[in-house]
Amino acid sequence: MKKILSCALAQCNPLVADCVGNVARALDWIEQAARAGADVIVFPELMLSGYPPEDLLCLPDFVAAHEAAWQNLLSASKNMTLTIVIGRLEFAEGKTYNGATVIQDGAIIAHYRKRKLPNFGVFDERRYFDAGDVRAAFEIKGVACSVVICEDVWHTDIMSEHRDQDLVFVINASPYHRGKLRDRQDAIAKSCAHINAALVYVNQVGGQDELVFDGQSFVRDQAGLVTRCAPLGVETMVLAHYEASTWRVDDGVKIAQHDLSDVAQDYQALVLGLQDYARKNHFTEVVLGLSGGVDSALVLALAVDALGADKVHTVMMPSPYTASISEIDATEIAHNFGVAHQTISISACFDGLQNSLSDAFKGRAADVTEENLQARIRGTLLMALSNKFSYLLLATGNKSELAMGYCTLYGDMNGGFAPIKDVLKTDVYALCAYRNQGAQKIGGAMIPERILTRAPSAELRPNQTDQDSLPPYEILDGIIRAWMEHKQSVAAMVAQGYDEALVLRIVRAIGLNEYKRRQGVIGTRISRCAFGRDWRMPQTKQQTS
């Protein structure tokens, strides 16, 4: 007789520390799954607390709230007819575990404690958790099942213990970076090749500070065929039916495995990161400086797609060095996206500050100091609007600029969130082109072509362009990616054809400008190594010569 098991993959978006709300969300999904005829519902890693809880784990009140919420869920599950696999914190004998619990008919039938605790990149689990040491096996309708948590599935030694199972549940809080879905599936194919078991992979979705959890949950049959069930960036529940070692996914939810390009996935992740940061921190509207350049154009597009045009406010702040075409382009793009737009000149403020400083600066020629004054005036005006109207101020700097320090503390670095902080300049152009393909206005592109073709400039002095201070972005970005993401040495980059003096200049600049980035705001991470959680460089150190 064939074994048929209907599995509900609950791709959820929990809120960290909202244990009561997360339990309510879980109970709602459980009821929906039961009505749909599911035999088992599978939730992400640390569903009850949200991931990552970080130093909240050191607070007794948080621990107590989590345990109270857990008991409420356990009590409510007595009325449920389906099996529940859910991630939660487990506290036992003075230890803290990243755990998974299996509930059947209101009773706990299996416990699992995460065994491989990642302590690299954005992960810091050994700071908080103790490692488990045994597997958890159980049955659902005669199907032999087991469960592992996230990092465990990447390790052959762990997965080899599941050879005698029909089905392995993998619960995850796996954050996005470009190519992550391929990485996951490749790793799982390698670690599961010899176990002859089917697999259910359920991933958290949503933004959490700079991390974005992309979802993209999937099932894998015993032959290794992967069917992606849930999309990127969407909280949803999908029903998949396991039968005789193969899967059947309900009509209308099956998604082609490679239906999104890397750029498309990056764009959706950036939208989700901004959307959830604003929503979860109770901001309903945002403001940004709109310069007529490509960076602020991309941030505008992301903001509109994340929050809606009626929630986005833009400000053009011309100085004596602002080209008239920049004002024209800023007005046009604001009109194209349908957002509220205003112009506030900084000329009077700039003159006033220069007059105030004239005696102190007597005998010294104008230099970058006067350029930074303009940026700081703009930052102050934007912060004033943020304070007055409770807007979230969006910083518009990109990763290339932040790497080189081509940005001004207390100026264009001001803000509450930096949506493109982890986007290299060359990728800014690619993302704008992608957005233009996705939505056109009558008679032209949403982001005017001239914005994409004009030489980028901060417009802080006459006839200024970025390339006066920076190498060509194609070269700069290649070196930044090699140094940060691939951890290549200077010698390795030179061997690839990069000029040694230029490589040393860029590497040195990245090191020197750590002090600026430490004072900057967080932004969505989409690369393998972003400035933030997984870039922990000392500010005080011997610099590269």
Side-chain angles (χ1 to χ4, degrees):
M1 182 177 179
K2 290 183 177 179
K3 300 174 182 178
I4 303 176
L5 195 68
S6 294
C7 302
L9 284 65
Q11 182 169 289
C12 296
N13 187 351
L15 174 60
V16 168
D18 184 18
C19 301
V20 172
N22 293 338
V23 165
R25 187 175 289 109
L27 290 172
D28 182 59
W29 284 114
I30 291 168
E31 291 176 4
Q32 291 186 47
R35 289 196 299 269
D39 299 304
V40 57
I41 184 168
V42 188
F43 288 98
E45 179 179 7
L46 294 189
M47 172 65 191
L48 268 61
S49 64
Y51 186 94
E54 299 183 296
D55 278 9
L56 289 171
L57 289 166
C58 304
L59 303 179
D61 287 348
F62 171 75
V63 173
H66 178 278
E67 292 303 272
W70 163 242
Q71 290 301 321
N72 289 339
L73 175 64
L74 195 59
S75 177
S77 70
K78 294 177 182 178
N79 301 318
M80 306 297 177
T81 58
L82 74 173
T83 301
I84 302 165
V85 180
I86 192 162
R88 70 177 181 99
L89 298 167
E90 187 181 352
F91 305 95
E93 299 175 349
K95 295 184 176 181
T96 301
Y97 298 99
N98 181 339
T101 299
V102 184
I103 307 169
Q104 217 172 64
D105 299 321
I108 296 172
I109 64 167
H111 277 304
Y112 181 77
R113 295 165 175 172
K114 190 172 184 178
R115 296 169 65 178
K116 300 291 186 180
L117 302 178
N119 219 66
F120 53 84
V122 301
F123 301 106
D124 200 13
E125 292 202 9
R126 292 179 194 168
R127 174 181 172 91
Y128 303 106
F129 299 116
D130 296 281
D133 57 6
V134 296
R135 73 169 190 162
F138 50 95
E139 279 196 4
I140 307 174
K141 293 182 65 176
V143 177
C145 302
S146 56
V147 60
V148 297
I149 301 177
C150 204
E151 181 70 18
D152 295 335
V153 79
W154 294 66
H155 295 267
T156 302
D157 59 331
I158 297 290
M159 296 310 295
S160 64
E161 299 175 8
H162 299 267
R163 288 193 182 99
D164 57 342
Q165 302 303 110
D166 297 316
L167 184 58
V168 181
F169 298 108
V170 187
I171 66 172
N172 304 268
S174 178
Y176 175 82
H177 62 65
R178 179 178 284 197
K180 187 62 175 284
L181 180 62
R182 291 190 296 272
D183 290 349
R184 290 183 194 126
Q185 294 178 352
D186 290 347
I188 287 169
K190 180 180 178 181
S191 62
C192 293
H194 57 298
I195 69 171
N196 195 34
L199 182 142
V200 174
Y201 185 101
V202 177
N203 191 26
Q204 179 175 310
V205 71
Q208 172 59 35
D209 293 338
E210 66 257 57
L211 299 181
V212 171
F213 299 93
D214 51 299
Q216 302 199 90
S217 302
F218 58 86
V219 292
R220 175 189 184 275
D221 67 20
Q222 287 176 314
L225 177 66
V226 169
T227 301
R228 185 150 65 90
C229 299
L232 186 155
V234 178
E235 187 174 40
T236 187
M237 185 184 74
V238 174
L239 208 60
H241 309 279
Y242 172 76
E243 181 176 349
S245 80
T246 61
W247 289 100
R248 175 173 56 84
V249 179
D250 279 0
D251 292 342
V253 297
K254 183 177 178 180
I255 301 170
Q257 183 173 336
H258 298 297
D259 59 336
L260 291 177
S261 67
D262 285 344
V263 173
Q265 292 189 60
D266 283 355
Y267 191 90
Q268 291 192 21
L270 291 167
V271 169
L272 179 59
L274 171 54
Q275 182 180 67
D276 268 7
Y277 186 85
R279 178 179 64 86
K280 292 180 178 180
N281 287 286
H282 309 292
F283 287 99
T284 57
E285 300 180 60
V286 299
V287 64
L288 65 135
L290 195 60
S291 67
V294 67
D295 296 322
S296 60
L298 177 57
V299 173
L300 170 59
L302 293 169
V304 169
D305 291 343
L307 304 172
D310 61 324
K311 306 298 183 185
V312 180
H313 305 266
T314 58
V315 188
M316 176 63 176
M317 294 167 286
S319 79
Y321 307 117
T322 300
S324 59
I325 196 63
S326 295
E327 296 187 63
I328 293 170
D329 286 346
T331 301
E332 180 179 347
I333 192 172
H335 173 76
N336 290 351
F337 280 92
V339 300
H341 181 67
Q342 61 181 308
T343 297
I344 303 175
S345 173
I346 70 167
S347 294
C349 291
F350 187 37
D351 289 342
L353 284 176
Q354 289 186 101
N355 288 335
S356 296
L357 291 165
S358 60
D359 288 342
F361 287 177
K362 189 174 182 180
R364 291 182 177 267
D367 56 16
V368 71
T369 306
E370 284 73 19
E371 295 181 29
N372 288 339
L373 280 178
Q374 296 166 71
R376 290 181 175 129
I377 292 167
R378 291 183 173 119
T380 298
L381 293 175
L382 289 169
M383 281 305 306
L385 293 170
S386 172
N387 291 162
K388 182 65 70 175
F389 299 103
S390 298
Y391 298 153
L392 172 64
L393 173 56
L394 303 181
T396 60
N398 63 64
K399 187 174 186 175
S400 305
E401 295 170 346
L402 289 169
M404 297 296 289
Y406 193 64
C407 47
T408 305
L409 272 174
Y410 326 121
D412 56 306
M413 292 181 70
N414 279 5
F417 195 74
I420 62 170
K421 179 180 181 179
D422 195 33
V423 181
L424 293 167
K425 186 75 169 191
T426 48
D427 290 330
V428 169
Y429 287 102
L431 288 161
C432 285
Y434 166 77
R435 182 57 172 79
N436 273 348
Q437 292 170 4
Q440 300 284 323
K441 70 180 183 68
I442 296 174
M446 294 290 288
I447 300 173
E449 185 66 21
R450 184 168 54 223
I451 289 178
L452 303 180
T453 56
R454 285 177 63 205
S457 170
E459 295 189 325
L460 298 175
R461 64 175 183 265
N463 304 313
Q464 181 184 29
T465 68
D466 290 3
Q467 253 58 83
D468 297 337
S469 305
L470 300 176
Y473 280 117
E474 293 80 5
I475 297 173
L476 173 62
D477 289 355
I479 294 172
I480 293 171
R481 185 176 281 116
W483 180 248
M484 291 187 63
E485 296 186 37
H486 303 299
K487 310 301 186 217
Q488 291 184 2
S489 66
V490 171
M493 286 186 272
V494 172
Q496 294 173 36
Y498 290 111
D499 177 76
E500 183 175 11
L502 180 58
V503 171
L504 288 170
R505 173 192 162 194
I506 292 170
V507 168
R508 178 174 171 80
I510 293 173
L512 284 172
N513 287 286
E514 188 65 29
Y515 80 100
K516 286 189 178 182
R517 294 187 294 269
R518 288 287 184 95
Q519 298 181 67
V521 298
I522 65 170
T524 304
R525 172 187 183 268
I526 61 168
S527 74
R528 295 175 184 271
C529 184
F531 291 122
R533 296 175 65 95
D534 47 357
W535 182 260
R536 307 181 191 184
M537 292 293 176
Q539 295 182 59
T540 305
K541 58 186 178 296
Q542 175 66 37
Q543 299 293 345
T544 302
S545 59

